[in-house]
Amino acid sequence: MTRCAVRPFWEDKRSDDGGFSTVGVALALLVAISLVFTGAQVYRVQSAAADVQEAADACALAADNVIAEYYLVARVCDAVVLSLTLTGIVVLGMGVAALCTPLSAEAGFSLINAGKKVLLARDRFARKAADGLDKLQKALPFLAAVAAAHVAGANRDGMGAGYLGFAVVLPFEGNEVSAGEAGAADELVGAVDDAAGALAVAGEEAEKAAKRAKEAKERAYQADCGAYPGYCLYERAGSLADMPAGSNPFFSSVDTWGFSAALNRARAYYPCRLAADAPDGDSVEAQAESALRKRFYAFAARTLSREGFVDESGDSFSASFPLVPRNVDELRDTDLFSEAVYPVTSNDAGHLEMHAWEGCPRAAGAARVASLAERETGGYDLCPECQFTENSLGRVASASSSIDNGFEFHYRVIAEAASEYEEQKRVLEPKARKVRRLAGSLFEQARSALRKMAAQRISVAPPGRLGVVAIVAATDSNASDLGFSSRFVNGAGVLGPRVAISGATLVSDSAEQGRTIIASALDGVRHDGHLLAGVLDTVMDVWSSMLFAYADGQQRIGEGIDELDARLSFGGESRLGLWSSREFEKTMESLGLQPAQLDAPKPVLVNTGQVLQADGGDFSARLLSVKRVAANLPGNTVLDGIVGIAERNARSTIRDFNGEITVATIEVAGDGSPTIPITITLPDSLRERGLGLVEGIAERLRGLAGDITGVRQWR
């Protein structure tokens, strides 16, 4: 058999030196170029098909951002509710504190009225905010669908095709929004109203007593050392007794001085005078006067040491400043008049004589001693040497008690002032105790009310809280070689409509955005031209601090109380205003309010299966089932089912939606105070198109169903 060997055509084209001919090279190049263009075309087609997924991702994020913004609005409302609660309680409590002293009582009644208005405004706002947020959450499916549609319509793929987009929030319904029961502070308000009058009266009476006590203390201080370098105990003790500084201290202020300083000075004075006293001359009369002075000083030192005391602790005060006699009448009530220490002798006439002291020349050989009381009964002749009578000792006391250059003159002023001071302290103590009891009880009720009201917060669980699913389709069918025609690739193919879905959910991001939004809630008050004055201005400033307490916690409450405290005149002698202010602040500090969670919700892309599984609703179950078997289902079953459910849900929520929702209006102090509306507004174009926009998109998406093949569409 004869075999015929066939050689490849290119071998026939080899040149003599073993290389390829021109024809072979040309064919190889044509094949390579065709492969390059074919690969590029395949890449363009696949990229165009993939673009729809990117558009779906963008639509999902845009739709979920609507839910994120709703959470921020809800947090602003929650911050306002809490801040109004704090403001009302703080203003009411500081009004109670202001009633404790007459200097601020008028402001106290004004603050109490303002606090009641704030609490009413709080209840009104909480109710309107809950209703508004409930209404707004029902529109979220529509708003999310519109956001997705807007993003889809603003984009085109690499082949020039436009997009239709739709979004479904999961779950589709939210929980009812509630802010708790109104009137949680009614019991507190009633208690304040009942006690306010009695508290103000007790505070006024306490202040009067405290003022009179203060005046008495001031008189005593001036008599002791405040009048220096004029006559006073300090000056007289230094001049008359040459007392050392340790026994004769000086006090520059009544606030550092106490009654015990005067008593101690007097106790030290008389022993010094006793030790230093000497006759003014050699005469018997001068020696007699010196002896009587020593007896007087010894008596005074003994009496002050034995009977004098000062006991002052807290609001209680008791003291004894024994008075030394300043005349014969007062002398009769003392031991000086009854003590038997004066020598008695008989004169040449056989009559009895009484002598000033045993050193009198006529007292030698005295058989006995007698008292001034006996001398006053009569039967005694006057001693011609010492001239002693019952008035002799009285003149010693009177000399330094009747005029301001005497030590006893100023001591008596102090003793009388101490008695007045003690009396007013006795009047003050039960009044102050009543003020503390009434105010303290109201502060405790304020704390209880605040604990109860602070728990009544706005908490939301809106539609879309688990995430959103976006559905996007490329609406045009394009030639596969559109914009890339080439003779190397057959351009007869058509790239039909493409569909993709994407999922997004919310995660926590930085708290700074939430803090900024809450802070900006005051912008409308700061720049709206309101001329705030008086109590309203005070309330608005307190609310400012309380609003930041939502973000910063307990510290801001203290700052708000301090700011209000600085505006009130909590002076007064009773110091009950200062006590009540500090007591109320301590009561508020015991709450330990912590900052709220301010992490801003941020939309992120996730697998749609995660969103659907988390929801578990009918729509999610159907869509999840469709997604799992999508490769085996006709395209019209997939898209038509998704769009139909989404359209019906959107229609049910936006039928009565007019394009604008005022969630609530803030009126911090009721009528007449600045108002801050919290409003959600759509662009005019969307308000005009409303439901028609969503229905139109749904209809066009359904129209594409017949053009979508069974090729797997899901990612």
Side-chain angles (χ1 to χ4, degrees), residues 75 193 270 619 652:
R75 285 182 180 173
D193 287 340
Y270 286 108
F619 170 76
S652 68

Side-chain angles (χ1 to χ4, degrees), residues 165-402:
F166 204 78
V168 181
V169 299
L170 300 174
F172 201 78
E173 294 183 351
N175 297 338
E176 182 180 358
V177 182
S178 175
E181 297 181 3
D186 288 351
E187 185 176 348
L188 170 63
V189 170
V192 170
D193 287 340
D194 291 342
L199 181 60
V201 170
E204 182 177 8
E205 292 176 347
E207 180 62 24
K208 288 179 179 178
K211 187 175 181 180
R212 287 193 290 264
K214 176 67 174 180
E215 291 171 350
K217 186 176 182 180
E218 181 66 34
R219 288 198 307 272
Y221 168 71
Q222 291 296 322
D224 182 59
C225 61
Y228 182 80
Y231 289 142
C232 57
L233 286 196
Y234 171 77
E235 187 277 333
R236 290 288 80 194
S239 298
L240 300 177
D242 194 23
M243 286 174 56
S247 301
N248 192 32
F250 178 78
F251 296 86
S252 59
S253 169
V254 67
D255 295 327
T256 61
W257 177 87
F259 282 94
S260 58
L263 181 60
N264 292 335
R265 196 188 314 276
R267 282 174 169 171
Y269 170 79
Y270 286 108
C272 287
R273 286 302 305 268
L274 178 61
D277 190 85
D280 296 333
D282 295 333
S283 65
V284 174
E285 187 175 357
Q287 293 181 59
E289 290 176 354
S290 175
L292 293 175
R293 285 197 302 269
K294 289 180 178 180
R295 190 170 301 283
F296 177 81
Y297 295 148
F299 165 80
R302 185 173 62 253
T303 302
L304 266 61
S305 177
R306 184 176 61 231
E307 301 178 13
F309 70 88
V310 174
D311 183 10
E312 187 168 15
S313 59
D315 291 332
S316 64
F317 177 86
S318 60
S320 173
F321 279 77
L323 293 175
V324 293
R326 57 182 173 180
N327 51 46
V328 174
D329 290 336
E330 293 182 1
L331 196 66
R332 291 190 179 93
D333 298 327
T334 68
D335 294 343
L336 288 174
F337 201 72
S338 59
E339 63 180 354
V341 293
Y342 303 102
V344 177
T345 60
S346 298
N347 55 25
D348 295 340
H351 297 162
L352 295 176
E353 292 180 0
M354 186 175 292
H355 309 282
W357 91 114
E358 62 276 6
C360 176
R362 296 178 65 86
R368 64 185 183 89
V369 292
S371 66
L372 290 178
E374 295 180 35
R375 176 75 175 75
E376 192 176 40
T377 59
Y380 288 88
D381 288 348
L382 180 65
C383 172
E385 294 289 340
C386 64
Q387 302 288 313
F388 177 70
T389 68
E390 59 272 17
N391 291 324
S392 299
L393 189 57
R395 285 194 298 271
V396 172
S398 177
S400 59
S401 301
S402 302

Side-chain angles (χ1 to χ4, degrees), residues 429-444:
E429 186 175 2
K431 302 298 181 183
R433 190 166 55 248
K434 182 177 181 180
V435 168
R436 291 191 178 94
R437 176 176 56 80
L438 291 174
S441 175
L442 293 177
F443 293 158
E444 285 299 318

